[in-house]
Short mmCIF file of all heavy atoms in Angstrom, two decimals:
data_model
loop_
_atom_site.label_atom_id
_atom_site.label_comp_id
_atom_site.label_asym_id
_atom_site.label_seq_id
_atom_site.Cartn_x
_atom_site.Cartn_y
_atom_site.Cartn_z
N SER A 260 84.54 80.53 149.45
CA SER A 260 83.36 80.01 148.80
C SER A 260 83.32 80.57 147.37
O SER A 260 83.95 81.60 147.10
CB SER A 260 82.07 80.36 149.54
OG SER A 260 81.86 81.75 149.52
N ALA A 261 82.63 79.88 146.50
CA ALA A 261 82.53 80.34 145.10
C ALA A 261 81.20 79.89 144.54
O ALA A 261 80.58 78.94 145.05
CB ALA A 261 83.67 79.78 144.27
N GLY A 262 80.77 80.56 143.50
CA GLY A 262 79.53 80.16 142.86
C GLY A 262 79.05 81.12 141.81
O GLY A 262 79.81 81.97 141.33
N PHE A 263 77.78 80.97 141.50
CA PHE A 263 77.16 81.68 140.39
C PHE A 263 75.90 82.38 140.88
O PHE A 263 75.10 81.77 141.59
CB PHE A 263 76.82 80.69 139.27
CG PHE A 263 78.02 79.95 138.77
CD1 PHE A 263 78.39 78.73 139.32
CD2 PHE A 263 78.82 80.50 137.77
CE1 PHE A 263 79.51 78.05 138.88
CE2 PHE A 263 79.95 79.82 137.33
CZ PHE A 263 80.29 78.60 137.87
N ALA A 264 75.71 83.65 140.46
CA ALA A 264 74.58 84.44 140.89
C ALA A 264 73.61 84.70 139.72
O ALA A 264 74.04 84.88 138.58
CB ALA A 264 75.05 85.77 141.44
N PHE A 265 72.34 84.68 140.07
CA PHE A 265 71.26 84.97 139.11
C PHE A 265 70.31 85.97 139.77
O PHE A 265 69.95 85.78 140.93
CB PHE A 265 70.47 83.68 138.81
CG PHE A 265 71.35 82.60 138.25
CD1 PHE A 265 72.00 81.71 139.10
CD2 PHE A 265 71.54 82.46 136.89
CE1 PHE A 265 72.83 80.71 138.60
CE2 PHE A 265 72.35 81.45 136.38
CZ PHE A 265 72.99 80.58 137.22
N SER A 266 69.95 87.02 139.07
CA SER A 266 69.01 87.98 139.63
C SER A 266 67.71 87.92 138.85
O SER A 266 67.69 87.61 137.66
CB SER A 266 69.58 89.40 139.62
OG SER A 266 69.85 89.83 138.30
N ALA A 267 66.63 88.23 139.56
CA ALA A 267 65.30 88.19 138.94
C ALA A 267 65.19 89.13 137.75
O ALA A 267 64.47 88.84 136.78
CB ALA A 267 64.21 88.48 139.95
N ASP A 268 65.94 90.24 137.78
CA ASP A 268 65.91 91.18 136.67
C ASP A 268 66.86 90.80 135.52
O ASP A 268 66.97 91.51 134.55
CB ASP A 268 66.17 92.61 137.13
CG ASP A 268 67.56 92.79 137.72
OD1 ASP A 268 68.41 91.85 137.63
OD2 ASP A 268 67.82 93.86 138.28
N ARG A 269 67.58 89.69 135.69
CA ARG A 269 68.52 89.14 134.72
C ARG A 269 69.75 89.99 134.47
O ARG A 269 70.51 89.76 133.55
CB ARG A 269 67.82 88.79 133.39
CG ARG A 269 66.85 87.67 133.53
CD ARG A 269 66.21 87.22 132.23
NE ARG A 269 67.09 86.45 131.37
CZ ARG A 269 67.25 85.15 131.37
NH1 ARG A 269 66.58 84.44 132.24
NH2 ARG A 269 68.02 84.56 130.51
N ARG A 270 69.98 91.00 135.29
CA ARG A 270 71.22 91.79 135.16
C ARG A 270 72.44 90.97 135.55
O ARG A 270 73.53 91.20 135.07
CB ARG A 270 71.14 93.05 136.02
CG ARG A 270 70.18 94.05 135.46
CD ARG A 270 70.21 95.33 136.21
NE ARG A 270 69.20 96.24 135.64
CZ ARG A 270 68.80 97.31 136.19
NH1 ARG A 270 69.31 97.70 137.37
NH2 ARG A 270 67.90 98.06 135.62
N ARG A 271 72.22 90.01 136.42
CA ARG A 271 73.26 89.05 136.78
C ARG A 271 72.68 87.68 136.43
O ARG A 271 71.72 87.24 137.02
CB ARG A 271 73.57 89.11 138.28
CG ARG A 271 74.15 90.46 138.67
CD ARG A 271 74.24 90.58 140.15
NE ARG A 271 75.30 89.76 140.70
CZ ARG A 271 75.50 89.60 142.01
NH1 ARG A 271 74.74 90.18 142.89
NH2 ARG A 271 76.50 88.86 142.42
N TRP A 272 73.30 87.02 135.46
CA TRP A 272 72.78 85.71 135.02
C TRP A 272 73.94 84.77 134.84
O TRP A 272 74.54 84.71 133.79
CB TRP A 272 71.91 85.83 133.76
CG TRP A 272 71.01 84.64 133.65
CD1 TRP A 272 71.13 83.58 132.83
CD2 TRP A 272 69.85 84.40 134.44
NE1 TRP A 272 70.12 82.68 133.06
CE2 TRP A 272 69.30 83.18 134.05
CE3 TRP A 272 69.20 85.12 135.46
CZ2 TRP A 272 68.17 82.63 134.62
CZ3 TRP A 272 68.05 84.57 136.03
CH2 TRP A 272 67.57 83.33 135.61
N GLY A 273 74.30 84.07 135.92
CA GLY A 273 75.43 83.17 135.87
C GLY A 273 76.74 83.83 136.23
O GLY A 273 77.81 83.32 135.93
N GLU A 274 76.68 85.02 136.88
CA GLU A 274 77.90 85.73 137.26
C GLU A 274 78.70 84.93 138.29
O GLU A 274 78.19 84.58 139.34
CB GLU A 274 77.55 87.08 137.82
CG GLU A 274 78.78 87.87 138.26
CD GLU A 274 78.40 89.17 138.94
OE1 GLU A 274 77.75 89.14 140.00
OE2 GLU A 274 78.75 90.23 138.39
N PHE A 275 79.99 84.68 137.97
CA PHE A 275 80.84 83.92 138.89
C PHE A 275 81.42 84.89 139.92
O PHE A 275 81.83 86.00 139.60
CB PHE A 275 82.00 83.26 138.13
CG PHE A 275 82.96 82.58 139.06
CD1 PHE A 275 82.67 81.32 139.54
CD2 PHE A 275 84.10 83.22 139.46
CE1 PHE A 275 83.52 80.70 140.42
CE2 PHE A 275 84.98 82.60 140.33
CZ PHE A 275 84.69 81.32 140.82
N SER A 276 81.47 84.44 141.17
CA SER A 276 82.17 85.20 142.23
C SER A 276 82.80 84.20 143.18
O SER A 276 82.38 83.08 143.31
CB SER A 276 81.20 86.12 142.99
OG SER A 276 80.27 85.36 143.74
N ALA A 277 83.85 84.69 143.86
CA ALA A 277 84.56 83.87 144.85
C ALA A 277 84.94 84.74 146.04
O ALA A 277 85.47 85.84 145.85
CB ALA A 277 85.79 83.22 144.24
N HIS A 278 84.66 84.25 147.21
CA HIS A 278 85.17 84.86 148.45
C HIS A 278 86.48 84.13 148.73
O HIS A 278 86.47 82.92 148.95
CB HIS A 278 84.16 84.69 149.59
CG HIS A 278 84.47 85.58 150.74
ND1 HIS A 278 83.73 85.52 151.89
CD2 HIS A 278 85.39 86.55 150.94
CE1 HIS A 278 84.18 86.42 152.76
NE2 HIS A 278 85.19 87.03 152.19
N LEU A 279 87.58 84.84 148.65
CA LEU A 279 88.90 84.23 148.70
C LEU A 279 89.33 83.89 150.13
O LEU A 279 88.98 84.60 151.08
CB LEU A 279 89.91 85.19 148.06
CG LEU A 279 89.54 85.68 146.66
CD1 LEU A 279 90.48 86.78 146.20
CD2 LEU A 279 89.52 84.52 145.68
N SER A 280 90.15 82.86 150.25
CA SER A 280 90.65 82.45 151.55
C SER A 280 91.70 83.40 152.07
O SER A 280 91.99 83.43 153.28
CB SER A 280 91.24 81.02 151.49
OG SER A 280 92.31 80.99 150.57
N SER A 281 92.33 84.16 151.20
CA SER A 281 93.37 85.13 151.58
C SER A 281 93.16 86.44 150.85
O SER A 281 92.65 86.46 149.73
CB SER A 281 94.77 84.58 151.23
OG SER A 281 95.04 83.42 151.95
N MET A 282 93.61 87.51 151.45
CA MET A 282 93.55 88.82 150.80
C MET A 282 94.67 88.86 149.76
O MET A 282 95.85 88.67 150.11
CB MET A 282 93.75 89.93 151.81
CG MET A 282 93.65 91.32 151.25
SD MET A 282 91.97 91.77 150.78
CE MET A 282 91.25 92.03 152.39
N PRO A 283 94.35 89.07 148.50
CA PRO A 283 95.39 89.09 147.46
C PRO A 283 96.33 90.29 147.62
O PRO A 283 95.94 91.34 148.14
CB PRO A 283 94.62 89.21 146.14
CG PRO A 283 93.21 88.92 146.47
CD PRO A 283 93.01 89.21 147.92
N ARG A 284 97.56 90.09 147.19
CA ARG A 284 98.53 91.17 147.17
C ARG A 284 98.01 92.27 146.26
O ARG A 284 97.49 91.98 145.17
CB ARG A 284 99.86 90.62 146.61
CG ARG A 284 100.91 91.67 146.38
CD ARG A 284 102.07 91.11 145.63
NE ARG A 284 102.90 90.38 146.58
CZ ARG A 284 104.00 89.75 146.25
NH1 ARG A 284 104.40 89.70 144.99
NH2 ARG A 284 104.71 89.13 147.15
N PRO A 285 98.08 93.54 146.67
CA PRO A 285 97.63 94.62 145.83
C PRO A 285 98.29 94.59 144.45
O PRO A 285 99.51 94.40 144.34
CB PRO A 285 98.02 95.88 146.60
CG PRO A 285 98.10 95.43 148.03
CD PRO A 285 98.59 94.01 147.96
N GLY A 286 97.48 94.73 143.43
CA GLY A 286 97.99 94.73 142.04
C GLY A 286 98.25 93.37 141.47
O GLY A 286 98.61 93.26 140.29
N SER A 287 98.08 92.30 142.25
CA SER A 287 98.34 90.96 141.71
C SER A 287 97.11 90.40 141.04
O SER A 287 95.99 90.91 141.21
CB SER A 287 98.79 90.00 142.81
OG SER A 287 97.77 89.77 143.72
N SER A 288 97.27 89.39 140.25
CA SER A 288 96.19 88.74 139.52
C SER A 288 95.60 87.59 140.33
O SER A 288 96.31 86.92 141.08
CB SER A 288 96.70 88.18 138.20
OG SER A 288 97.18 89.21 137.37
N VAL A 289 94.33 87.37 140.14
CA VAL A 289 93.66 86.19 140.69
C VAL A 289 93.11 85.45 139.50
O VAL A 289 92.42 86.03 138.63
CB VAL A 289 92.58 86.56 141.70
CG1 VAL A 289 91.77 85.32 142.12
CG2 VAL A 289 93.20 87.21 142.94
N MET A 290 93.40 84.16 139.40
CA MET A 290 92.99 83.36 138.27
C MET A 290 92.03 82.24 138.74
O MET A 290 92.22 81.67 139.79
CB MET A 290 94.21 82.67 137.62
CG MET A 290 95.25 83.62 137.06
SD MET A 290 94.69 84.55 135.65
CE MET A 290 94.54 83.26 134.44
N LEU A 291 91.08 82.01 137.88
CA LEU A 291 90.16 80.89 138.05
C LEU A 291 90.55 79.87 136.98
O LEU A 291 90.75 80.27 135.82
CB LEU A 291 88.71 81.33 137.84
CG LEU A 291 87.67 80.23 137.66
CD1 LEU A 291 87.51 79.42 138.97
CD2 LEU A 291 86.35 80.80 137.24
N LYS A 292 90.66 78.61 137.35
CA LYS A 292 90.91 77.54 136.37
C LYS A 292 89.75 76.56 136.49
O LYS A 292 89.49 76.02 137.56
CB LYS A 292 92.23 76.86 136.60
CG LYS A 292 93.42 77.74 136.29
CD LYS A 292 94.72 77.02 136.40
CE LYS A 292 95.89 77.97 136.13
NZ LYS A 292 97.16 77.33 136.38
N VAL A 293 89.07 76.35 135.35
CA VAL A 293 87.99 75.37 135.31
C VAL A 293 88.29 74.46 134.14
O VAL A 293 88.45 74.91 133.00
CB VAL A 293 86.61 76.06 135.08
CG1 VAL A 293 85.49 75.05 135.18
CG2 VAL A 293 86.38 77.21 136.01
N GLY A 294 88.41 73.16 134.45
CA GLY A 294 88.75 72.21 133.39
C GLY A 294 90.05 72.56 132.69
O GLY A 294 90.20 72.35 131.51
N GLY A 295 90.99 73.16 133.43
CA GLY A 295 92.29 73.54 132.87
C GLY A 295 92.28 74.86 132.13
O GLY A 295 93.30 75.38 131.76
N GLN A 296 91.09 75.44 131.90
CA GLN A 296 90.97 76.73 131.19
C GLN A 296 91.11 77.88 132.18
O GLN A 296 90.36 77.94 133.14
CB GLN A 296 89.61 76.78 130.49
CG GLN A 296 89.32 78.07 129.79
CD GLN A 296 90.13 78.22 128.49
OE1 GLN A 296 90.34 77.25 127.80
NE2 GLN A 296 90.56 79.41 128.24
N PRO A 297 92.08 78.78 131.95
CA PRO A 297 92.27 79.92 132.89
C PRO A 297 91.38 81.12 132.56
O PRO A 297 91.11 81.40 131.38
CB PRO A 297 93.73 80.26 132.72
CG PRO A 297 94.02 79.91 131.28
CD PRO A 297 93.16 78.73 130.96
#
């Protein structure tokens, strides 16, 4: 799952997070691509 978080105190305002389908390899990169932008 993925999405955006907003907190009432505005410390988090549009913070992106994703719960990944697989555990990433230690030390590897995870990339988000939106509209082709990494």
